[in-house]
């Protein structure tokens, strides 16, 4: 029963804390304000005002930016780059340091090497500078920027010198380079800044701070790339030292959604590396030697001449490859990076289907590389080193995907997969038939003449980038207009359709496995209603049983052979009791063990008529609304929270999550990520909602924001229907910012209660506190005593009893919730099923950590 519960995911509150409000007799004026999405022009204007305000608050950033461009214009480096005399005196590198120019680590940050470098550096400065000034202070920002520039340039130069002395060919090629630009110090500053951000953006920024210079080092390989990589490591180390002892930095894990984002970013970096390297004529990084295998490059005149010196056939093939880059077929050169970018979107959304395709693509990629090298001839030491370096990227990517495989469990509907298979398969068949069939009709336009066998033999080359043409050396070469058209567009058309179809499937909202049953269940719930927790039956992952008349339903999850229900039966009130027996017969016919979990006394009574046992597992807390008034001593904590929130300018706003501005949604994600990371244990599911469950049009989200639009906390509320309209609301998702207004939970719940009361709702439910109860109406049996003991043991980790005490501030009615089961002998299996339903991703290490917390 570890982790069992269905209470809102809420931090334990200690003390009352500040809040918002006025006098108790004026509480009708405290109802939340309903917000809707702003028109696009208004959003643009507000974003521009916000950006302007942040820039005005960052004078150091503006001064550095103005000075950089002024010096660039004065020295002529904007157009042609700094002339060689200025570069030799101001730039930093092994030659300038060897000549004793000790000032160059500082002066190198005053110029850039060209207009492209000025634009990139300016954007980086605008992204990092204002945030650093606000969170680190201007003096510390300047110290970190200059210090990071000095240490990063010296350390990077030292690494190049060490590599050159060790005989590394790549570092030897850049040992004579001289670099300029403040980008080195900016990466160090970004590394330090990350420790002052929320958990969500700390992880993202730190990953980017490492990935960007690392990719540039591996593919471009210039001295400045090495210096930026060194500065990033220095910034991360210094930031860790400066932030040592800060409790909010003690993070253990990321949420499932955030892990998917980080993995997707790594895949994007792997895709963009070769594309970035292609923009440099003198790229010399260790991975750039085989970047043409990921992004096919145009042959140089010298390379074409070398092929023509071999044979007439090789010369014709070289000209054919060169001709591709003068047509839309050049897009095939970027096939692998394009495929990885599309797959990254699928990984970001947690799709198991995208994960499988990505792993298969990486393995296929590695197989193609191996084929090319084994086909290259005798194996020398250089070839072995070249092969090992080439295989590093697909192997590392595959290892990352395998290590995080448990995070990608979102399944596409079978109908969507079948439709995708038809589209991709149809495109493959049509493209292949066009190339072979039409090619045979114009066989004379190929050299040598195209037979069906030769066209079939050359068919794989039409679907691969030009760099892989060596895998099919005998394919016919197009010389006529129709043949050239087929060679250019058959493979391209297939991949345009395939990538478009994949992206469309990945971007489409993921529905229930049985979307028809889910829609039927939602319609039944909204028409007839159910219990206070019945709306969770609409969440993904549930299966549905309907009675023979379609008037009642049961939502359940099958864990092993245990059919674990999600709350009470729902539907027509007079059909719910009979649904218990009907569902029991349904399970018995399939050899399943039914278990009604977190159900009301009515369902317990219906199960008792079947001879089932039951035990209390939680206590629902319901607040009646018609007579609600925050008067008297028992409401003192709530009035204090409301009053203090008003003094601090904090207000409550209703939003539909999908309509909220992006800045609010990102803050909500950051708050949730911080809460998850602090626990050190995986997110709980089953009857506990997360960010995915917020994005429902029927769920209302109440957020507490201050005058600067900073989100201090949020709650989500699920409707309780009766006769087609909501008559009550149930609390699900609750989070608060760790450094925000401490009474925000009391403020939000009180504000929601006032808002619902004004709308005519009869009650709100604060949901239940699992393994915690107030009443002792019945003599506890052995199982009940064990659950009470377990709630006491789990208190230091999950705070179930503290949660119940927190809800007592709202003077609720306590309603026991039960687990009903048919066979006591099945309790061990039922217990395992409940634990697996709530903690499906619990690893061995997290289990050990949990036991340590319990034993401590």
């Amino acid at each position: 029963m570890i982790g069992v519960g269905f209470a809102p995911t809420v931090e334990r509150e200690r003390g009352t804390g500040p809040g918002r409000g006025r006098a108790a007799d004026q509480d009708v004026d405290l109802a939340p304000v309903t917000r809707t999405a702003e028109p696009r022009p208004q959003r643009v204007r507000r974003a521009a005002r916000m950006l302007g305000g942040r820039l005005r608050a960052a004078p150091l950033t503006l001064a550095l930016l103005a000075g950089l461009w002024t010096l660039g214009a004065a020295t002529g480096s904007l157009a042609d780059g700094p002339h060689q005399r200025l570069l030799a005196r101001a730039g930093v590198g092994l030659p300038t340091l060897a000549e004793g120019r000790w000032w160059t680590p500082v002066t190198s940050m005053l110029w850039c090497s060209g207009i492209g470098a000025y634009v990139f550096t300016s954007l980086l400065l605008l992204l990092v500078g204002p945030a650093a000034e606000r969170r680190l202070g201007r003096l510390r920002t300047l110290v970190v920027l200059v210090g990071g520039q000095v240490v990063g340039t010296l350390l990077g130069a030292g690494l190049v010198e060490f590599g050159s002395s060790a005989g590394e060919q790549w570092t030897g090629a850049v040992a004579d380079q001289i670099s300029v630009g403040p980008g080195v110090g900016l990466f160090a500053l970004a590394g330090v800044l990350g420790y002052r951000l929320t958990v969500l953006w700390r992880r993202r920024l730190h990953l980017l701070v490492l990935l960007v210079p690392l990719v540039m080092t591996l593919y471009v390989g210039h001295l400045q790339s090495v210096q930026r990589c060194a500065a990033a490591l220095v910034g991360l180390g210094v930031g860790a030292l400066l932030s040592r002892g800060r409790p909010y930095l003690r993070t253990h894990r990321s949420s499932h959604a955030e892990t998917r984002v980080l993995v997707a970013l790594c895949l994007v970096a792997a895709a963009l590396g070769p594309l970035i390297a292609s923009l440099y004529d003198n790229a010399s990084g260790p991975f750039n030697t085989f970047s043409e295998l990921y992004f096919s490059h145009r042959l140089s005149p010298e390379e074409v001449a070398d092929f023509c010196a071999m044979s007439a056939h090789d010369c014709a093939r070289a000209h054919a490859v060169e001709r591709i880059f003068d047509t839309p077929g050049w897009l095939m050169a970027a096939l692998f990076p394009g495929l990885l970018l599309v797959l990254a979107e699928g990984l970001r959304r947690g799709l198991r289907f995208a994960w499988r395709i990505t792993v298969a693509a990486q393995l296929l990629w590695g197989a193609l590389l191996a084929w090319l090298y084994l086909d290259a001839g005798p194996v020398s030491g250089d070839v072995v080193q070249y092969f090992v370096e080439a295989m590093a990227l697909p192997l590392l990517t595959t290892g990352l995907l395998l290590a995080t495989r448990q995070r990608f469990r979102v399944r596409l509907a079978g109908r969507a997969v079948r439709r995708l298979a038809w589209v991709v398969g149809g495109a493959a068949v049509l493209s292949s038939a066009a190339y072979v069939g039409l090619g045979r009709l114009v066989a004379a336009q190929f050299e040598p003449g195209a037979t069906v066998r030769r066209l079939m033999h050359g068919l794989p080359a039409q679907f691969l980038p030009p760099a892989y043409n060596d895998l099919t050396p005998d394919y016919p070469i197009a010389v006529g207009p129709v043949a050239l058209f087929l060679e250019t567009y058959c493979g391209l058309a297939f991949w345009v359709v395939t990538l478009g179809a994949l992206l469309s499937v990945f971007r489409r909202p993921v529905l229930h496995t049985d979307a028809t049953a889910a829609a039927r269940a939602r319609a039944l719930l909204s028409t007839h209603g159910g219990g206070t927790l019945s709306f969770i039956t609409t969440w993904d992952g549930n299966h549905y049983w309907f009675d023979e008349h379609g008037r009642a339903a049961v939502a359940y999850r099958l864990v092993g052979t245990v059919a674990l229900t999600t709350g009470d039966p729902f539907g027509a009130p007079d059909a719910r009791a009979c649904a218990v027996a009907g569902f029991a017969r349904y399970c018995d016919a399939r050899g399943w063990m039914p278990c009604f979990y977190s159900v009301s006394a009515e369902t317990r009574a219906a199960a008792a008529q079947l001879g089932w046992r039951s035990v209390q597992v939680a206590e629902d807390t319901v607040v009646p609304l018609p007579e609600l008034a925050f008067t008297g001593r028992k409401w003192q904590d709530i009035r204090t929270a409301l009053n203090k929130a008003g003094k601090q300018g904090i207000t409550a706003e209703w939003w539909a999550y999908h309509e909220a501005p992006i800045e609010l949604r990102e803050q909500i994600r950051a708050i949730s990520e911080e809460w998850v990371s602090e626990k050190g244990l995986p997110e709980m599911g089953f009857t506990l909602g997360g960010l995915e469950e917020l994005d429902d049009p029927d769920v209302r989200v109440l957020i507490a924001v201050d005058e600067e639009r900073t989100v201090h906390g949020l709650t989500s509320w699920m409707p309780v229907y009766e006769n087609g309209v909501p008559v009550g609301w149930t609390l699900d998702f609750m989070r608060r910012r760790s450094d925000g207004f401490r009474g925000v939970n009391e403020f939000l719940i009180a504000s929601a209660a006032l808002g619902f009361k004004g709308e005519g709702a009869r009650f709100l439910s604060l949901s239940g506190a699992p393994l915690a109860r107030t009443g002792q109406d019945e003599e506890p049996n052995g199982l009940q005593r064990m659950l009470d003991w377990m709630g006491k043991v789990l208190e230091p980790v999950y705070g179930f009893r503290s949660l119940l005490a927190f809800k007592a501030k709202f003077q609720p009615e306590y309603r026991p919730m039960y687990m009903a089961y048919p066979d006591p002998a099945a309790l061990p299996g039922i217990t395992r099923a409940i634990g697996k339903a709530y903690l499906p991703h619990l690893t061995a290490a997290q289990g050990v950590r949990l036991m340590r917390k319990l034993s401590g």
Side-chain angles (χ1 to χ4, degrees):
M1 293 284 288
I2 291 177
V4 175
F6 52 87
T9 44
V10 56
E11 289 186 287
R12 281 193 294 164
E13 291 290 319
R14 297 180 180 178
T16 54
R20 171 207 169 185
R22 294 189 267 294
D25 58 354
Q26 296 176 337
D27 56 10
V28 70
D29 298 326
L30 300 177
V33 177
T34 299
R35 301 290 189 186
T36 57
E38 299 175 334
R40 183 179 296 273
Q42 187 174 347
R43 292 201 304 268
V44 172
R45 289 194 297 270
R46 185 165 56 83
R49 288 195 301 269
M50 183 182 300
L51 178 61
R54 291 187 176 181
L55 289 179
R56 286 192 298 271
L60 177 61
T61 300
L62 295 178
L64 292 174
L65 190 64
L68 185 69
W69 283 87
T70 300
L71 283 174
T75 57
S77 59
L78 291 179
D80 305 319
H83 53 76
Q84 294 302 314
R85 183 176 179 182
L86 175 62
L87 182 65
R89 294 186 62 83
V92 62
L94 292 177
T96 61
L97 294 174
E99 294 174 3
R101 301 185 186 278
W102 54 266
W103 58 84
T104 54
V106 176
T107 58
S108 63
M109 68 185 302
L110 302 178
W111 288 272
C112 292
S113 57
I115 187 63
Y118 274 100
V119 172
F120 172 78
T121 302
S122 299
L123 292 176
L124 186 60
L125 181 58
L126 290 174
L127 286 173
V128 176
E133 288 190 58
R134 186 171 66 254
R135 297 182 180 270
L136 298 176
R138 294 189 184 98
L139 180 59
R140 184 173 291 182
T141 296
L142 184 61
V143 170
V144 172
L145 178 63
V146 177
Q149 179 82 15
V150 172
V151 177
T153 53
L154 292 178
L155 182 57
L159 291 174
V160 170
E161 173 65 21
F162 176 79
S164 301
S165 302
E168 173 61 39
Q169 182 178 2
W170 154 58
T171 52
V174 300
D176 60 344
Q177 290 185 356
I178 298 174
S179 68
V180 291
V184 177
L186 286 174
F187 274 94
L189 180 61
V192 175
L193 172 64
Y195 287 95
R196 300 303 177 94
L197 302 179
T198 61
V199 173
L200 179 75
W201 288 105
R202 184 191 317 152
R203 287 194 177 116
R204 293 181 180 181
L205 182 58
H206 282 173
L207 182 63
L208 290 175
V209 164
L210 285 174
L211 278 181
V212 172
L214 181 61
V215 168
M216 295 293 289
T217 299
L218 293 176
Y219 283 101
V220 179
H222 291 172
L223 172 63
Q224 191 174 60
S225 300
V226 181
Q227 292 171 336
R228 288 174 177 173
C229 200
L233 295 174
V234 169
L236 292 174
V238 171
L241 291 176
L242 292 176
S243 303
R244 187 170 51 186
R246 297 177 182 268
Y248 64 85
L249 291 177
R250 296 172 186 170
T251 59
H252 301 278
R253 60 179 285 117
S254 60
S255 64
H256 304 316
E258 184 57 19
T259 299
R260 298 163 186 165
V261 171
L262 299 179
V263 172
L265 284 176
C266 292
L267 199 66
V268 169
L272 293 182
L275 298 179
I276 295 174
S278 68
L279 302 177
Y280 291 81
D281 296 331
N282 57 345
S284 57
F287 277 22
N288 189 59
T289 55
F290 54 85
S291 65
E292 68 274 7
L293 300 178
Y294 307 119
F295 178 74
S296 302
H297 298 285
R298 187 167 193 160
L299 297 176
S300 65
E302 294 77 11
E303 290 173 323
V304 174
D306 291 340
F307 279 111
C308 289
M310 296 179 184
S311 66
H313 182 68
D314 289 330
C315 184
R317 288 183 59 199
H319 283 291
V321 172
E322 184 70 2
R323 188 170 56 240
I324 291 176
F325 288 88
D326 295 325
T327 69
W330 71 267
L331 293 172
M332 288 291 292
L335 171 60
F336 280 150
L339 177 60
L340 291 181
L341 291 175
V342 172
L343 292 175
E345 173 62 16
L347 293 178
R348 185 186 69 84
R349 297 176 66 83
L351 296 174
R352 190 72 171 178
F353 184 74
W355 182 89
R356 289 172 175 170
I357 295 180
T358 308
V359 172
Q362 295 296 325
L363 294 177
L364 177 61
W365 196 345
L368 291 175
L369 291 174
W371 188 358
L372 283 174
Y373 285 118
L374 292 176
D375 195 52
V379 178
S380 63
D382 291 339
V383 172
V384 171
Q385 179 183 358
Y386 193 73
F387 175 71
V388 171
E389 292 178 348
M391 292 296 293
L393 185 60
L395 289 178
L396 289 175
T397 305
T398 303
L400 176 63
L401 291 169
L402 292 176
T404 58
R405 63 187 180 279
Q406 296 298 329
R407 306 300 180 91
F408 302 94
R409 288 180 172 252
V410 180
R411 297 187 180 276
L412 288 173
R415 182 179 179 183
V417 175
R418 289 191 294 272
R419 186 186 298 115
L420 178 65
W422 276 106
V423 171
V424 174
V429 170
L430 290 176
S431 299
S432 302
Y435 179 75
V436 176
L438 296 179
R440 185 66 186 90
L441 295 177
V442 292
Q445 295 188 21
F446 288 91
E447 179 63 37
T451 63
V452 172
R453 183 176 181 179
R454 285 177 177 172
L455 290 169
M456 291 292 295
H457 188 70
L459 190 59
Q462 309 308 310
F463 298 98
L464 289 173
Y468 291 85
N469 284 348
D470 290 341
L471 296 177
T472 54
D474 298 327
Y475 69 90
I477 299 169
V479 293
V482 177
L484 289 172
F485 180 87
L486 295 176
E487 186 179 71
T488 300
Y489 291 104
C490 283
L492 179 62
F494 165 77
W495 281 111
V496 168
V497 172
T498 298
L499 295 183
L502 281 173
L503 187 60
S504 175
V505 169
F506 293 162
R507 295 287 297 173
R508 188 177 296 119
V510 177
L511 302 176
H512 288 270
T513 304
D514 189 346
T516 302
R520 182 183 175 190
R522 182 182 283 258
L524 188 64
L525 175 66
S526 60
T527 301
H528 296 287
T532 56
L533 295 181
S534 290
F535 191 81
I536 62 178
T537 61
T538 65
W539 294 353
D540 197 16
N542 290 321
H543 300 278
Y544 300 96
W545 170 87
F546 298 91
D547 68 6
E548 58 184 2
H549 302 292
R551 300 180 67 242
V554 173
Y556 67 95
R557 300 197 181 195
L558 190 63
V559 184
T561 58
V562 177
L564 194 64
T565 73
T566 308
D568 294 291
F570 58 94
D574 59 345
R576 296 175 194 173
C578 296
V580 176
F583 181 69
R585 291 192 297 270
Y586 174 80
C587 293
D588 183 64
R590 287 156 180 77
W592 299 343
M593 177 60 64
C595 176
F596 279 86
Y597 185 75
S598 64
V599 297
S600 63
E602 290 76 9
T603 302
R604 179 200 187 195
Q609 293 180 4
L610 303 176
W612 289 20
R613 306 282 187 91
S614 62
V615 64
Q616 184 179 346
V617 294
E619 204 152 55
D620 196 4
T621 46
V622 178
V623 179
L625 295 179
E627 305 300 327
L628 179 67
F630 299 136
T631 58
R633 292 185 58 186
K634 60 184 180 180
W635 294 103
Q636 180 60 47
D637 291 346
I638 307 305
R639 288 199 303 272
T640 300
L642 292 170
N643 287 325
K644 290 188 176 180
K647 294 176 182 177
Q648 296 185 23
I650 296 176
T651 57
E653 296 180 357
W654 286 118
W655 284 95
Y657 184 75
H658 65 281
E659 293 181 354
I662 183 64
E663 61 268 19
L664 294 183
R665 294 202 303 269
E666 284 301 315
Q667 289 187 71
I668 291 172
R669 290 180 60 87
I671 292 171
S672 179
E673 185 67 22
E674 181 180 28
W675 186 91
V676 171
S677 65
E678 288 176 351
K679 299 304 175 185
L681 294 171
E683 291 177 277
M684 299 178 73
F686 189 29
T687 58
L688 297 173
L691 286 174
E692 292 81 4
E693 284 69 35
L694 292 184
D695 196 7
D696 187 299
D698 294 329
V699 172
R700 299 176 66 175
V701 179
L702 185 64
I703 64 172
V705 293
D706 60 21
E707 296 173 349
E708 296 180 355
R709 305 301 295 170
T710 299
V711 178
H712 288 252
L714 71 147
T715 56
S716 73
W717 299 86
M718 305 179 297
V720 181
Y721 293 104
E722 185 177 298
N723 297 324
V725 296
V727 295
W729 296 85
T730 299
L731 176 65
D732 174 42
F733 189 88
M734 183 154 66
R735 295 283 193 270
R736 62 179 296 271
R737 185 183 294 275
S738 61
D739 58 347
F741 168 48
R742 286 199 56 82
V744 68
N745 287 338
E746 292 94 331
F747 165 67
L748 285 170
I749 294 174
S751 299
L754 293 173
F756 291 139
K757 176 184 176 182
E759 295 172 6
R762 296 205 305 261
F763 64 89
L764 61 81
S765 168
L766 302 182
S767 194
L771 299 181
R773 60 197 186 108
T774 59
Q776 298 288 341
D777 298 334
E778 301 177 4
E779 182 67 23
N781 56 23
L783 178 58
Q784 187 68 69
R785 284 194 294 269
M786 185 191 73
L787 293 178
D788 292 341
W789 171 83
M790 188 172 294
K792 180 179 179 180
V793 171
L794 291 174
E795 177 65 19
V797 180
Y798 290 102
F800 295 142
R801 298 187 177 188
S802 299
L803 177 61
L804 187 61
F806 166 75
K807 294 177 179 179
K809 297 179 181 181
F810 296 91
Q811 315 304 316
E813 297 176 359
Y814 295 98
R815 300 177 182 177
M817 307 200 77
Y818 302 93
M819 178 181 75
Y821 55 96
D823 186 0
L827 277 175
I830 292 174
T831 301
R832 287 194 298 270
I834 294 173
K836 192 174 178 73
Y838 275 105
L839 294 171
H841 308 296
L842 183 69
T843 64
Q846 292 158 356
V848 171
R849 188 181 303 123
L850 175 61
M851 297 308 298
R852 285 178 178 174
K853 289 185 177 181
L854 294 178
S855 60

